[in-house]
Amino acid sequence: MADFKKVIDEKSKYAHFMAEGITHICKNLPKRDPGSEGEKLACEYMGDVLKNECGCEYTKLESFKENPGSFFGWIYVCVALSMVGFILNFFMPALSIVVMTIGLIILFLQFGLYKKIVDKLFPEKTGHNMTGIKKCTGEVKARIFFNGHPDACWLWPINEKYGGIAHCSQYAFGGVGMIYLFVVSIINTIVCASFGRVFWILTPSTSTLCFWISILATFFVPWFIALCFMWNEKIIVDGANDNLTGCYMGIAILKAMKDQGIELEHTEVGVILSGSEEAGLRGSMAWAEAHKDEFNDVPTWIISYDTIRESKFLAANYRDLNATVPLDKEIGDAFVEAAKELDIQCSKGIIPPFGGATDAAAFQKGGFRAISIGAMNYNLQKYYHTRFDSYDNLDENCLADCYAVSVKTLENFDKKYSK
């Protein structure tokens, strides 16, 4: 069996290697919004690193079609429906219910489950994935992939200027407003029906109580409108932590293995760079579909990293996609146990409701075994989707810890499955 002790002991060296690679991409390549030329060039650059510096015999760039504007664009649709529903509530509340129901369904499916409900309303672009594999010297008995997404997000200006509480309040008041208006429309419809009518002009003379609870809904109108300004599509952040740290985790492991002359006999080690995660996991969805029958010959794990920034929040997340998708318990337990062996803090967690998703969810739903590894505070920090997420705001100690645990997980995986 391969001895990974020196690979682990040199964790600081390879954390610095990660930081240098991340810095190069941020400073010298174009911005990497989903479906952009920058995303493609980043995939190609890291693919060259995998091939030339990490010993990967197989590297492949793959493209897929997507509509990245839909990931935030659904909010425009929901805001428009909310405004129409607000107006209809004063004239035909039953129709307002229909309009509001459509908006809530879009919210639940497009954001809650990352379904492609309104994608076709937005321009089509081409995203890219990169896969690199270091082959073993003998019969393949096991395979492990390390995953990160090379794209970066559009700027969240409210979080950058005022912080996470202010940013999340936009979601909260907008969502509560939709639900409030939906309930009010139901009440008004019931009252209207009690008079044998489906159409009315809601005024104090027709129903004082209904009129005033409807007027209260105007409080939420500015919040509906504010939702349309939650992001700035003209500014793309560097995405150094989110998520070049995830991309370079696997690259650093393969680089260290090559430097130390480690050749595994029965375990393949690979890296998946899945594009357009910030557009709703579109790259990992495309990768899972393209490779659904390709890697089921031996036990295959995918360890997906997203935002490796704060060591005290290092965690294996057992549920993903707003806590709706259970991930692979064996992989999660293996990662946590590896951390214990190295005396590195690592907790068990989840991607919480309204916390979004990581690529692990798409892999798991696509029939693969995956776990999500993160090291960030879900009380949104100033570096999350802002210009503070740059190469000069990395934490090499956190990168080193996560790297060490990942190498130990690989070592234990190889021992278990390559006999």
Side-chain angles (χ1 to χ4, degrees), residues 132-151:
I133 298 176
K134 171 61 180 171
K135 297 180 180 180
C136 52
T137 59
E139 177 190 359
V140 180
K141 296 183 179 180
R143 183 181 299 107
I144 189 168
F145 284 109
F146 300 103
N147 164 249
H149 69 84
D151 60 305

Side-chain angles (χ1 to χ4, degrees), residues 334 337-338 341 407-417:
E337 183 59 34
E341 291 183 49
V407 172
K408 191 65 179 178
T409 304
L410 168 60
E411 181 180 23
N412 293 342
F413 174 78
D414 179 58
K415 289 178 181 178
K416 180 176 181 177
Y417 285 107

Side-chain angles (χ1 to χ4, degrees), residues 382-399:
K382 278 289 190 79
Y383 63 79
Y384 190 69
H385 291 179
T386 71
R387 283 170 286 198
F388 294 110
D389 185 9
S390 191
Y391 58 88
D392 57 357
N393 191 19
L394 297 166
D395 187 326
E396 291 191 23
N397 290 327
C398 182
L399 292 175

Side-chain angles (χ1 to χ4, degrees), residues 5 21 94 114 146 166 175 182 241 272 323 336 359:
K5 183 178 185 305
Y114 282 37
F146 300 103
F182 180 72
N241 292 286
I272 303 168
V336 173
D359 284 322

Side-chain angles (χ1 to χ4, degrees), residues 84-279:
V84 171
F86 172 74
I87 295 170
L88 286 174
N89 178 64
F90 289 90
F91 299 93
M92 192 176 291
L95 187 55
S96 177
I97 293 175
V98 174
V99 171
M100 295 301 298
T101 298
I102 294 172
L104 290 169
I105 290 173
I106 291 173
L107 185 155
F108 175 71
L109 294 178
Q110 190 79 28
F111 174 72
L113 301 180
Y114 282 37
K115 298 291 186 181
K116 301 178 183 180
I117 304 302
V118 299
D119 283 36
K120 295 302 182 182
L121 298 178
F122 298 89
E124 185 177 83
K125 293 186 177 182
T126 301
H128 290 86
N129 295 326
M130 170 62 70
T131 306
I133 298 176
K134 171 61 180 171
K135 297 180 180 180
C136 52
T137 59
E139 177 190 359
V140 180
K141 296 183 179 180
R143 183 181 299 107
I144 189 168
F145 284 109
F146 300 103
N147 164 249
H149 69 84
D151 60 305
C153 193
W154 303 272
L155 174 70
W156 288 7
I158 300 301
N159 187 39
E160 180 174 274
K161 189 171 184 178
Y162 300 109
I165 294 177
H167 176 86
C168 291
S169 70
Q170 293 179 285
Y171 283 114
F173 280 105
V176 169
M178 289 183 69
I179 295 171
Y180 178 84
L181 185 55
F182 180 72
V183 172
V184 168
S185 296
I186 292 174
I187 294 171
N188 288 348
T189 299
I190 294 172
V191 172
C192 192
S194 69
F195 288 97
R197 303 171 65 181
V198 295
F199 176 82
W200 68 351
I201 303 294
L202 183 57
T203 66
S205 62
T206 57
S207 176
T208 300
L209 177 61
C210 289
F211 178 78
W212 284 110
I213 63 174
S214 296
I215 288 296
L216 284 175
T218 60
F219 168 80
F220 296 104
V221 170
W223 293 99
F224 292 152
I225 297 172
L227 287 172
C228 297
F229 300 94
M230 292 178 58
W231 65 95
N232 185 339
E233 298 175 356
K234 296 180 180 180
I235 300 177
I236 311 301
V237 305
D238 281 349
N241 292 286
D242 183 14
N243 185 34
L244 290 178
T245 56
C247 295
Y248 260 88
M249 197 59 59
I251 294 173
I253 293 170
L254 283 169
K255 166 72 170 169
M257 288 175 60
K258 184 179 181 183
D259 290 347
Q260 299 302 323
I262 294 177
E263 296 279 348
L264 300 182
E265 185 176 2
H266 296 298
T267 300
E268 287 188 342
V269 183
V271 170
I272 303 168
L273 306 176
S274 45
S276 301
E277 189 267 359
E278 302 292 3

Side-chain angles (χ1 to χ4, degrees), residues 70-91:
S70 66
F71 188 66
F72 288 120
W74 66 267
I75 295 178
Y76 296 135
V77 177
C78 287
V79 167
L81 291 171
S82 297
M83 297 299 291
V84 171
F86 172 74
I87 295 170
L88 286 174
N89 178 64
F90 289 90
F91 299 93

